[in-house]
């Protein structure tokens, strides 16, 4: 079993910054990608940023230049630095990881429980 635990959400004023963190633990043999998604009320969950093992990051157009994803491969953690936040960034942010639990297992998808980010004055 693998757990993803997020932290760092909260309330911030427009133009402010927040840093989200996610730690993966449990039966981990290898992690392929660790990503951040978000879901605003009444909207579908969307990909915010992705960081596969290759290190080739990718961002949603709406956050390019404002958000930065980083990953510690040794500690199985991923962070999301969010700057110049806007009210439309308000959402529940989810950590996602594609994990192999042993050297013979397939890849499994895991999600964190989500952390609320609210951007409001």
């Amino acid at each position: 079993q693998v757990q993803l635990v997020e932290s760092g959400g909260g309330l911030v004023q427009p133009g402010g910054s927040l840093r989200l963190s996610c730690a993966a633990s449990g039966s981990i043999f290898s992690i392929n990608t660790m990503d951040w998604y978000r879901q605003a009320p009444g909207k579908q969950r969307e990909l915010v940023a992705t960081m596969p093992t290759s290190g080739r990051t990718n961002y949603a157009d709406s956050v390019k230049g404002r958000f930065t994803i980083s990953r510690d491969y040794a500690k199985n953690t991923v962070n999301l630095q969010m700057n110049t936040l806007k009210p439309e960034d308000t959402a529940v942010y989810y950590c996602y990881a594609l994990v192999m639990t042993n050297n013979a297992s397939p890849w499994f998808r895991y999600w964190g429980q989500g952390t609320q980010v609210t951007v409001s004055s």
Side-chain angles (χ1 to χ4, degrees):
Q1 193 66 290
V2 174
Q3 298 81 37
L4 301 180
V5 178
E6 302 117 332
S7 60
L11 173 64
V12 64
Q13 292 187 344
S17 298
L18 278 176
R19 182 178 177 86
L20 304 183
S21 297
C22 172
S25 62
S27 301
I28 298 171
F29 177 77
S30 178
I31 298 179
N32 184 327
T33 190
M34 294 190 80
D35 308 332
W36 287 97
Y37 285 75
R38 68 185 180 187
Q39 188 166 18
K43 294 188 177 181
Q44 289 189 332
R45 191 172 296 189
E46 64 174 354
L47 178 65
V48 176
T50 180
M51 189 156 193
T53 304
S54 67
R56 210 167 189 179
T57 58
N58 192 32
Y59 297 91
D61 287 343
S62 59
V63 307
K64 281 181 181 176
R66 300 188 296 122
F67 290 12
T68 303
I69 189 170
S70 60
R71 186 173 160 184
D72 186 323
Y73 294 90
K75 295 182 179 179
N76 292 329
T77 59
V78 64
N79 300 308
L80 185 68
Q81 178 65 42
M82 305 185 294
N83 298 328
T84 319
L85 283 160
K86 303 176 181 179
E88 50 263 43
D89 294 318
T90 296
V92 178
Y93 284 70
Y94 296 91
C95 177
Y96 166 88
L98 194 61
V99 179
M100 187 182 285
T101 56
N102 61 66
N103 62 1
S105 79
W107 294 99
F108 293 103
R109 301 177 180 184
Y110 291 95
W111 292 91
Q113 80 285 356
T115 185
Q116 177 70 45
V117 171
T118 302
V119 184
S120 174
S121 55

